[in-house]
Amino acid sequence: MRLELVPRTDVPGYARTLAPLGAIVAAILIGGLVVALLGRSPAAALDVYFVQPLSESWGLQELAVKMLPLVLIAVGLSFCFRANLWNIGAEGQFVAGAVAGAMVPLATHGMEAGPWVVVVALVLGTLGGALYALIPAFLRVTLGVSEILTSLMLVYVAQLGLDWLVRGPWRDPKGFNFPQTVVFEPGAQLPMLMEAGRLHAGAGLAVIAVLATWFIFSRTLFGFGIRVSGEAPKAARFAGFDANRLVLIAFAVSGGLAGLAGIVEVTGQIGQLKPSISPGYGFTAIIVAFLGRLHPVGILFGAFVISLTVIGGENAQILLKLPLDLTTVFQGVLLMCVLAADALVSNRVRIVRTARA
Amino acid sequence: MATSDAPLVAMRGIVKRFGALVANDRVYLDVRRGEIHALLGENGAGKSTLVKILDGLLQPDEGDILWEGRPVALKNPDAAGRLGIGMVFQHFSLFENLTVAENIAVALPGAGGLHAVAERIADIGRSYGLTLDPGRPVWTLSAGERQRIEIVRALLRNPKLLILDEPTSVLTPQEADGLFGTLERLAASGCGLLYITHRLEEVKRLCTRATIMRAGKVVAACDPRRESVARLASLMVGADVHDVRAAAAHPVGKVRLEVRNLHLPSPDLHGTALVGAMLSVQGGEILGVAGVAGNGQSELFAALSGESLAPQPDDVLIDGAPVGREGIDARRLRNAAFVPEERLGHAAAPGFALSENVVLSRHATGGVVRNGLVSMASAKRIAGEVIRVFDVRKGGDDPAAGTLSGGNLQKFVVGREILREPGVLVVDQPTWGVDAGAAAVIRQALIDLAARGAAVVAISQDLDELFAIADRIAVLHDGRLSAALSARTATREEIGILMAGGHATDAA
């Protein structure tokens, strides 16, 4: 006896929309079970994880700040993933963007320059991320090198490069030997959106990225080409789309948005370069992209859920003495539930008794 | 104790279904000791499914397998191997960086050390003429040598029945000759061989019995040495001709599609290079291209459609314009249209709605894309028209292409191109694996399109189809395209001999 997945032919649209919600409920139930096994009250954990951060202004702002880089990166990744290209180096492109963009505030430090500094920094950061992502794309197109390996390995190159810069040439001379640059001038930082809080103007960029991506995939021939080349490469060739050109553009867009996220994080949030500018945003964004089914609105939702678990996890560590690793566990359970819900919506499970032979 | 005159293996009434598709429909097959038994059939006839059942990879839904007269259950390849069933696959599964001996030892648990394996390889080599150096790394070996490894690997388990799945598809003629010698020696030593192929010349030369499958059923069993190649071909391809209305007399116009001495190396390792292809099709005419699968059909289609670019601009001409270096969209803009062989994944994206699949081949020629923006409303309107005119049966309003049945999707992808009223249409296997009703609709549409003045090229393995619709028939064999014969005067035998690589004059 074995189990077989038989594809369903008529999946209603609402089932696909409801599947992630069902997955979240299932993940919360499993998470509650784990909390109970750790000897804590699941109800209290639910409150600390999901209710408190959403009921206070600081929590909401913190949530938006965490979501911002995830949304930018994941929306960019959707261009690659939809084309069936495996860019898993967004973390490196994030760092490359931060470094390329930071050149402007560092070069103009102490010069009383205007707000143009931050604008130029954002542009340079985007370009830096795009160029860095074009390395694996170019290697794939010309030499057939797997982009999975190259994009991942370039993450370490970028991180070590940043490390060298902030310990060497770019180190703040008055920084007591800490590995970090000077703090950027106020004019070189993104303005805050609210008086008391941490939400900065980068949020606007994320909203624009989501809307633009939605428009590109739903309305333009370019977005159509990306989708076809991911779904059926031979059909894309039949349609006359140039596969190599699509690889290069998808990587450039993806890297550009990751680079933008990097420089936004540095100019809006941290205010200087240091070795740890990202707690793994580039990798977490991969989960976010798939949680959101590579759809821009879905990605907003995915980033919301993941950020909530991160903030809730910090909360739970303080208030309930629950280990922070529980958050990682929960994220993993959530991803598995979403994938399972997906499989069960598109397929029917059939029990097959082995035939008499 | 089974009697010694029972066949080595007998499959009785085997049925295997995949969803709605019946891949094997009450199939009977037996193989005796010491014979080379051919299993013939086109792609998709059900040969591979049957053989996978025999190798324990698939379980039949109905039917029995008798091994030396006793019923057996082949639960997995290991069980089949223990009985003495060995399999040589079409595609090699070897570790490139290991040596010959290492590759063989990996597949033979309990074979002893490498040294012992090397000795046994040498033994087998001497008995069957399979020379192999056990110490050579695999990456240095030719396709023929790699296949010898697979065969030796199977022989080391002392099989009583050896199954070979299209073993010559990657061999040079000389390597194939060597293989035939080995197989004859194996048969002489009492081993039964089941030889799967669609190459008829090989069957006539090598095999003493043949079972021919079509559409999941056994359609004939015969002695191939006594049959002509043409007869075997027609058994394989089937003779279910459907009536199509011949076009009313219409004028044949000037040449609309021409290929001049096109040489095109195959980009794919196992593909076929086109050698000096010449063809010319006039408006109002259907040119049929016959041939056994794998003789350069997809390469010819790619060269005509522009998916593969020709070396010179004037290797391919559409309405007199040199288009050899133009891509598929540029050729579409010259009012040419194309329908590739594979419906799902090439002609249509399976997960995309029918309207989106309209955008796939229509985006360059206007009506659905303006300023880089796709008008889904226009695409839906065109899809609706194709569905209405070609009677495409579907579930839902605008379903994904992958949910349609083969015949309905084929009507859709052919209709999508024909409704554009192309001046040149190239279609590869217009009715492959399509039910009779849909096939008739598609053939009629091709005839009517030509009657309206278009030049049509239909590449097909179905000779009956070509005789029904084509005005002239050329044959593709090993990448070489023959001169076109008039479909009215050519005989099935003439075409059959050309398909087998002979010359038209041989038939006379």
Side-chain angles (χ1 to χ4, degrees), chain A residues 2 8-10 215 218-222 224 227-228 231-241 350 354-357, chain B residues 60 64 72-73 307 328-329 332 338 340 342 345-347 349-352 356 359-361 363 369 372-374 403 416:
Chain A
R2 64 183 190 278
R8 294 181 206 261
T9 45
D10 47 343
F215 181 77
S218 62
R219 297 296 311 277
T220 69
L221 186 62
F222 165 69
F224 182 80
R227 283 165 51 218
V228 179
E231 162 92 12
K234 276 172 94 176
R237 204 181 54 184
F238 177 65
F241 298 127
R350 195 172 67 177
T354 310
R356 183 182 58 90
Chain B
D64 300 305
V72 287
E307 287 179 297
I328 187 164
D329 280 339
R332 285 191 178 117
F338 311 96
E342 251 178 277
H346 194 174
F352 280 37
E356 291 178 298
V359 180
L360 192 73
S361 77
H363 64 85
V369 174
L373 297 185
V374 179
T403 63
R416 178 181 69 185

Side-chain angles (χ1 to χ4, degrees), chain B residues 25-26 43 63 82 122 147 164 198 201-202 231 283 315 349 356 363 382 396 435 464 478 494 499:
Chain B
D25 190 357
R26 293 188 296 284
N43 292 331
R82 276 197 304 274
Q147 185 168 54
L164 297 112
H198 52 239
E201 316 89 289
E202 290 175 3
R231 161 107 180 113
D315 283 347
E356 291 178 298
H363 64 85
I382 295 173
D435 62 278
D464 297 311
D478 200 18
E494 277 177 293
M499 281 168 71

Side-chain angles (χ1 to χ4, degrees), chain B residues 158-175:
Chain B
N158 298 317
K160 295 177 184 166
L161 172 68
L162 190 62
I163 305 165
L164 297 112
D165 190 2
E166 310 224 353
T168 56
S169 60
V170 292
L171 301 189
T172 65
Q174 291 75 16
E175 286 174 329

Side-chain angles (χ1 to χ4, degrees), chain A residues 269-281:
Chain A
Q269 183 54 20
I270 305 172
Q272 64 183 157
L273 278 185
K274 47 187 189 177
S276 55
I277 52 170
S278 162
Y281 284 133

Side-chain angles (χ1 to χ4, degrees), chain B residues 100-435:
Chain B
V100 172
E102 285 166 341
N103 261 291
I104 291 174
V106 163
L108 277 181
L114 276 182
H115 208 70
V117 170
E119 259 173 43
R120 289 176 64 190
I121 294 172
D123 276 349
I124 297 263
R126 270 191 299 280
S127 337
Y128 297 107
L130 289 160
T131 350
L132 271 177
D133 176 357
R136 286 264 301 274
V138 164
W139 62 268
T140 63
L141 304 180
S142 70
E145 290 169 310
R146 285 167 196 232
Q147 185 168 54
R148 265 177 244 160
I149 303 179
E150 293 277 4
I151 295 176
V152 167
R153 195 145 86 170
L155 290 183
L156 280 173
R157 301 184 73 165
N158 298 317
K160 295 177 184 166
L161 172 68
L162 190 62
I163 305 165
L164 297 112
D165 190 2
E166 310 224 353
T168 56
S169 60
V170 292
L171 301 189
T172 65
Q174 291 75 16
E175 286 174 329
D177 280 340
L179 174 69
F180 296 157
T182 302
L183 298 185
E184 275 159 1
R185 246 171 285 183
L186 264 172
S189 75
C191 185
L193 287 111
L194 185 59
Y195 190 90
I196 301 156
T197 188
H198 52 239
R199 297 197 179 182
L200 303 172
E201 316 89 289
E202 290 175 3
V203 172
K204 273 188 75 69
R205 175 176 161 186
L206 195 65
C207 302
T208 47
R209 279 206 300 154
T211 297
I212 300 167
M213 291 184 71
R214 189 189 335 136
K217 295 188 173 124
V218 171
V219 290
C222 60
D223 181 345
R225 291 167 302 182
R226 289 198 204 139
E227 305 285 346
S228 69
V229 166
R231 161 107 180 113
L232 290 174
S234 71
L235 281 171
M236 221 167 93
V237 196
D240 48 344
V241 205
H242 309 292
D243 285 328
V244 282
R245 250 178 308 109
H250 57 275
V252 173
K254 57 181 190 316
V255 172
R256 302 202 72 167
L257 175 67
E258 195 175 356
V259 176
R260 290 182 183 163
N261 196 25
L262 170 67
H263 289 263
L264 196 64
S266 170
D268 178 14
L269 188 61
H270 301 317
T272 310
L274 295 178
V275 187
M278 308 263 249
L279 66 81
S280 116
V281 197
Q282 290 161 289
E285 183 187 44
I286 299 182
L287 174 74
V289 176
V292 179
N295 274 290
Q297 283 90 341
S298 32
E299 288 80 1
L300 179 66
F301 176 82
L304 293 177
S305 70
E307 287 179 297
S308 301
L309 296 185
Q312 301 297 327
D314 53 5
D315 283 347
V316 182
L317 296 107
I318 291 176
D319 284 328
V323 299
R325 302 294 302 161
E326 289 184 358
I328 187 164
D329 280 339
R331 295 187 196 190
R332 285 191 178 117
L333 286 170
R334 295 183 185 279
N335 205 20
F338 311 96
V339 182
E341 171 181 4
E342 251 178 277
R343 285 184 283 278
L344 278 179
H346 194 174
F352 280 37
L354 291 180
S355 57
E356 291 178 298
N357 274 299
V358 165
V359 180
L360 192 73
S361 77
R362 291 273 195 113
H363 64 85
T365 49
V368 288
V369 174
R370 252 169 251 103
N371 305 323
L373 297 185
V374 179
S375 158
M376 282 320 293
S378 312
K380 280 208 176 86
R381 205 164 47 240
I382 295 173
E385 207 182 325
V386 175
I387 288 164
R388 188 174 50 76
V389 175
F390 281 82
D391 185 26
V392 177
R393 316 267 167 86
K394 56 176 178 61
D397 179 35
D398 189 14
T403 63
L404 266 65
S405 76
N408 282 304
L409 183 57
Q410 187 70 12
K411 283 193 281 189
F412 182 81
V413 297
V414 172
R416 178 181 69 185
E417 306 306 324
I418 286 185
L419 281 193
R420 245 183 68 214
E421 278 302 313
V424 171
L425 177 72
V426 181
V427 45
D428 191 2
Q429 316 302 343
T431 62
W432 191 86
V434 157
D435 62 278

